[in-house]
Amino acid sequence: MVTVVEQPQQQKTTEASQPREAAGRRRGLALVRNMGIVAHIDAGKTTVSERMLYYTGRVYKMGEVHEGTAVMDWMVQEQERGITITSAATTCFWRDHQINLLDTPGHVDFTVEVERSLRVLDGVIGVFCGVGGVQPQSETVWRQAKKYHVPCLAFVNKLDRVGADFAAVVRQLREKLAAPAVPVQLPIGREEQFQGVIDLIRMRALRFEEASRGATVLEGEIPAELKAPAEEARALMIEQIAERDEGVLAAYLQNPDVPEALLKAGLRRATIANQLVPVLCGAALRNKGIQPLLDAVVDYLPAPLDVPAVAGHHPKTGEVLRRDVSDFEPLSALVFKIANDPHIGKLAFVRVYAGTLGKGQNVYNPRTQKRERVGRIVELHANHREDIEVLHAGEIGGLVGLKQATTGDTLCPENKPVALERIEFPEPVIAMAIEPRTQADRDKLRVALAALEGEDPTFRITTNPETGQLLVNGMGELHLEIIKDRLAREFHVGTSAGKPMVAYKETIQAAARGEHLFEREIGGRGHYGSVVLDLAPAARGAGNRVEFKVAEGAIPAEFHTAVAAGIADGLMTGVVGNYPLVDVLVRVVDGACHPVDSSEVAFRSAAVMAFRAAAQAAQPVLLEPIMKLEIITPEEYVGDVLGDVNGRRGRIRDIERREVVQIVSAEVPLAELFGYATKLRSLTKGRASYSMEPCRFEAVPETVQAVLINR
């Protein structure tokens, strides 16, 4: 196996002068890796994680996704569909290192699971299909990783498949993702002849014994026909590392054949600095390439010591606070996921950035400004829990007993509070009416929906203001289908659901002014309030903002909250089709009050009516979600596919030819994509596939808007 690369000397000096680790840790901070696996759906993430668990000894038997036996895909819905729906966590050990692993979904409907996992991870493996290459959701998860500055490894999987091309995938990594990809391995053989990998660092050929299901790695000389390409690839790899690391550059100038230890140390530094992405390869289903990937996790991905100190702010003063990775710092932990376990109740997944978190400890939540007691601490292994006594800095685990914590909450001491940056989540784009089948299910439905809403920040419960119907809002048809299935299986609630509907929004296209005087007698008391406000469109995606540019004598400060509440009411209900208004700048510029009769009710009512008047005059328009669509189709069906996309108000962005198929990239309104899977199968005799992800909101054409409003 590969030699462990030590931390830089400067890091060790700091640790020696200021101890960071308490007695009783299972592994020192330098031996911990918090990493995740991200990819497009069906690239093989879960198969890779299953092999990792097997070779590290965490499980004794390999689970298979296609057989519904994968350990990390433990939900019934995941096993039935062969996809990952919820991120699963586990802990395993490799070369004496503790690897805390998160396996995340690849389907766009469950992108929230990727987002909140990346928020707490120190490094990730991006898995790419050797045939499909960089696919739409690959781009999405890669952007998410870059947003959080998470160092990455790339693993090109499925190289045993027909049409697999390692060099083409590396090229796509550089072109489509702008990733500084540097291959550290080359495949031995192509497609059915794929046998193993060449380690370019050590210049050795690695093959994986089939009799032991890949557990025995056979190391030998590089085949003669591959020596020249391997030498050329190694020289290019050394040059790329030398360009980004001074230590390797100095050695390279003396001798182009840089020693192995120096190369690894330089590549590690460049990877942690997000200057390089090491690319490895294999075929997880055929048990090839996993052990070198585990070595790469240990050698190149950062330990908690290698990432910057976590930053937050004081919840009262707003002062920026930093917490170093140390067991002796004040506790700073982030709740990144909530799950409802049928046996132990509410389970909070946490990452401890600083300090220690013990069983029975009281913790403070700055959002609720309340203390809670940690009942139990568990180590996570998919849906299995193992009780432990304490979580140290840099570790991930589960807490039982927190009643009010939600995703994104910080846990800290009350006397040294800190609020870490919360996680941003996308808005739901689709809604569905739902109701209980029987009167007995009514109360159970509310409780179950509240529990699911607490788990999933992209799942929302709303009520239609016109019909009073209960609406569930999510990220796609599959998302809502899973919600409905979970209500029946986990919560035993019978429901009837309508057809999924698009979650439209509204905005304005021009500036306008509105004013309203509310003056009437209610219950024997006069109520008086006048509000004048201006509306202006904001940039798309900027959100809503309310400003008070009004004299104190016109609207006293004590009524500003009521005016803001009235404006919020107007923003929630809209004026075109009762959809929420977004990207609106509201300025309260004038008003009038009465020394005796002015009241909060009056000003809130006046604000709503003034807002509605202004919005009606500001050229309101409906916004609809636009989806980025990628269709992989045989060449003979391209014409039919393009015609169908155009008929759905779609715009073709690109057509890429790749061997015997063509890849069509388009943007299509979500409203036109219901039932698209069936239509595409019909057009191409089942030979085409597609994937889609939310792109942006866009104004609905006038003719379509008229139909929507009048239906």
Side-chain angles (χ1 to χ4, degrees):
M1 288 298 159
V2 186
T3 308
V4 177
V5 178
E6 293 291 337
Q7 304 300 319
Q9 188 63 40
Q10 184 179 1
Q11 184 73 65
K12 295 200 293 185
T13 304
T14 305
E15 291 177 47
S17 58
Q18 296 179 346
R20 296 188 178 201
E21 300 173 6
R25 292 186 67 107
R26 285 182 295 177
R27 297 291 186 276
L29 279 164
L31 301 179
V32 174
R33 300 289 183 272
N34 293 311
M35 50 81 62
I37 302 181
V38 299
H40 184 87
I41 190 170
D42 205 30
K45 294 180 311 306
T46 301
T47 303
V48 169
S49 66
E50 291 293 321
R51 269 49 181 181
M52 283 184 162
L53 296 182
Y54 179 75
Y55 295 131
T56 58
R58 191 67 175 86
V59 298
Y60 68 92
K61 179 183 177 184
M62 289 184 191
E64 301 293 359
V65 174
H66 59 275
E67 294 175 0
T69 58
V71 174
M72 302 297 271
D73 283 352
W74 56 269
M75 291 176 66
V76 176
Q77 294 86 353
E78 293 175 317
Q79 294 167 355
E80 288 178 347
R81 293 167 173 81
I83 62 171
T84 304
I85 292 170
T86 182
S87 54
T90 191
T91 298
C92 55
F93 297 88
W94 182 253
R95 284 172 37 195
D96 202 39
H97 286 64
Q98 177 181 333
I99 299 175
N100 300 317
L101 169 65
L102 290 177
D103 178 30
T104 65
H107 197 286
V108 65
D109 284 15
F110 310 106
T111 187
V112 61
E113 295 287 344
V114 183
E115 185 81 22
R116 57 186 174 188
S117 298
L118 287 171
R119 172 66 175 81
V120 299
L121 292 174
D122 298 329
V124 298
I125 299 171
V127 178
F128 299 88
C129 175
V131 181
V134 175
Q135 297 166 287
Q137 190 65 5
S138 309
E139 297 183 53
T140 300
V141 296
W142 199 263
R143 282 197 305 270
Q144 289 172 311
K146 294 300 106 182
K147 181 171 81 172
Y148 293 112
H149 308 290
V150 181
C152 301
L153 301 177
F155 181 72
V156 182
N157 192 26
K158 301 187 178 184
L159 287 180
D160 58 325
R161 294 262 302 271
V162 175
D165 189 336
F166 177 72
V169 178
V170 173
R171 198 161 50 245
Q172 289 176 37
L173 286 171
R174 293 169 178 160
E175 294 172 359
K176 290 189 174 184
L177 302 181
V182 51
V184 295
Q185 291 179 350
L186 289 182
I188 301 174
R190 290 193 61 172
E191 300 177 350
E192 305 96 25
Q193 303 303 316
F194 176 70
Q195 302 168 30
V197 301
I198 297 172
D199 182 346
L200 296 177
I201 300 278
R202 299 163 57 226
M203 289 301 283
R204 301 290 287 170
L206 305 177
R207 291 179 171 85
F208 305 87
E209 187 182 71
E210 293 191 11
S212 63
R213 302 191 73 182
T216 303
V217 181
L218 306 173
E219 187 176 312
E221 294 293 325
I222 299 171
E225 68 276 12
L226 293 176
K227 274 200 170 181
E231 292 284 356
E232 183 182 344
R234 187 174 196 270
L236 186 60
M237 175 191 71
I238 294 173
E239 287 178 14
Q240 288 183 276
I241 299 172
E243 286 174 3
R244 293 162 175 85
D245 187 81
E246 292 182 3
V248 175
L249 178 61
Y252 177 74
L253 293 175
Q254 293 180 9
N255 181 1
D257 189 17
V258 180
E260 175 189 331
L262 273 177
L263 267 183
K264 283 186 178 177
L267 182 54
R268 176 181 178 81
R269 288 190 290 269
T271 303
I272 291 172
N274 277 302
Q275 294 177 337
L276 284 177
V277 176
V279 184
L280 299 93
C281 57
L285 191 62
R286 300 287 174 258
N287 311 315
K288 292 178 171 62
I290 302 302
Q291 293 96 325
L293 181 61
L294 282 163
D295 286 335
V297 168
V298 167
D299 290 335
Y300 306 129
L301 289 184
L305 290 170
D306 298 313
V307 297
V310 68
H313 65 272
H314 194 286
K316 292 183 179 177
T317 67
E319 175 192 359
V320 176
L321 302 171
R322 296 189 181 277
R323 296 279 193 262
D324 290 325
V325 182
S326 168
D327 292 337
F328 303 106
E329 285 276 304
L331 173 66
S332 303
L334 185 75
V335 178
F336 66 93
K337 178 176 175 175
I338 298 292
N340 288 291
D341 189 289
H343 304 294
I344 61 178
K346 187 175 180 179
L347 178 66
F349 290 54
V350 296
R351 160 74 190 265
V352 179
Y353 285 97
T356 57
L357 185 57
K359 180 180 175 182
Q361 183 175 333
N362 285 323
V363 293
Y364 178 71
N365 186 335
R367 180 184 62 83
T368 61
Q369 299 182 10
K370 292 182 179 179
R371 281 178 298 171
E372 292 197 72
R373 185 175 179 275
V374 177
R376 289 170 59 193
I377 302 179
V378 294
E379 182 180 273
L380 304 162
H381 178 51
N383 61 330
H384 301 289
R385 326 284 183 214
E386 297 172 13
D387 282 273
I388 55 177
E389 293 298 315
V390 64
L391 283 174
H392 293 90
E395 294 187 332
I396 291 173
L399 306 183
V400 181
L402 302 182
K403 303 297 183 187
Q404 298 179 329
T406 62
T407 301
D409 281 354
T410 302
L411 305 179
C412 58
E414 190 170 3
N415 61 341
K416 291 187 177 178
V418 62
L420 303 179
E421 181 186 354
R422 293 188 70 84
I423 310 170
E424 295 180 5
F425 298 109
E427 289 291 317
V429 298
I430 193 169
M432 178 175 71
I434 193 167
E435 59 185 31
R437 282 207 184 130
T438 66
Q439 190 65 32
D441 287 325
R442 186 170 298 279
D443 292 337
K444 287 200 296 183
L445 177 61
R446 287 282 183 181
V447 171
L449 289 176
L452 292 172
E453 190 177 35
E455 277 189 18
D456 187 350
T458 59
F459 173 62
R460 306 272 175 81
I461 307 164
T462 57
T463 303
N464 187 312
E466 288 188 342
T467 64
Q469 277 184 308
L470 195 64
L471 301 178
V472 290
N473 303 262
M475 298 303 297
E477 289 182 87
L478 180 59
H479 189 190
L480 297 184
E481 181 186 326
I482 296 296
I483 291 290
K484 189 170 182 290
D485 195 44
R486 290 187 64 190
L487 286 172
R489 295 195 188 193
E490 291 179 32
F491 298 94
H492 309 292
V493 179
T495 59
S496 298
K499 289 183 179 179
M501 306 170 292
V502 176
Y504 292 99
K505 296 184 185 299
E506 299 179 19
T507 193
I508 58 172
Q509 302 178 93
R513 171 167 290 193
E515 56 183 285
H516 187 81
L517 169 63
F518 185 91
E519 183 179 17
R520 66 181 62 177
E521 187 175 309
I522 304 174
R525 189 203 158 191
H527 292 268
Y528 183 97
S530 175
V531 174
V532 181
L533 48 79
D534 290 337
L535 301 189
R540 186 75 72 244
N544 298 322
R545 196 164 85 247
V546 179
E547 299 176 352
F548 284 84
K549 306 284 187 182
V550 59
E552 175 69 21
I555 303 179
E558 63 191 276
F559 295 121
H560 285 194
T561 303
V563 172
I567 293 169
D569 292 341
L571 287 167
M572 279 299 296
T573 53
V575 292
V576 178
N578 290 323
Y579 299 108
L581 270 155
V582 296
D583 305 330
V584 178
L585 172 60
V586 186
R587 288 193 180 93
V588 182
V589 296
D590 201 2
C593 65
H594 189 279
V596 177
D597 291 344
S598 285
S599 67
E600 291 188 357
V601 171
F603 275 107
R604 182 166 183 164
S605 300
V608 173
M609 301 309 292
F611 179 88
R612 286 184 172 279
Q616 292 281 9
Q619 299 178 24
V621 65
L622 278 185
L623 296 175
E624 63 179 348
I626 305 297
M627 309 299 284
K628 187 157 70 172
L629 190 68
E630 183 177 274
I631 308 154
I632 303 174
T633 177
E635 290 185 37
E636 59 263 39
Y637 301 113
V638 170
D640 294 332
V641 168
L642 295 180
D644 184 63
V645 168
N646 288 325
R648 295 172 184 270
R649 295 194 283 127
R651 291 190 290 269
I652 307 298
R653 292 302 186 195
D654 186 39
I655 302 175
E656 178 187 347
R657 186 191 184 100
R658 195 180 296 171
E659 295 188 356
V660 296
V661 300
Q662 296 211 21
I663 300 173
V664 178
S665 298
E667 292 177 357
V668 186
L670 175 61
E672 305 291 341
L673 289 174
F674 291 116
Y676 184 64
T678 303
K679 180 65 175 177
L680 185 63
R681 282 196 293 267
S682 173
L683 284 173
T684 63
K685 297 181 180 177
R687 294 176 61 194
S689 63
Y690 79 99
S691 59
M692 64 178 181
E693 62 175 302
C695 180
R696 62 181 179 279
F697 276 83
E698 213 173 72
V700 176
E702 288 185 15
T703 52
V704 178
Q705 180 171 308
V707 173
L708 289 171
I709 294 171
N710 295 325
R711 70 182 179 185

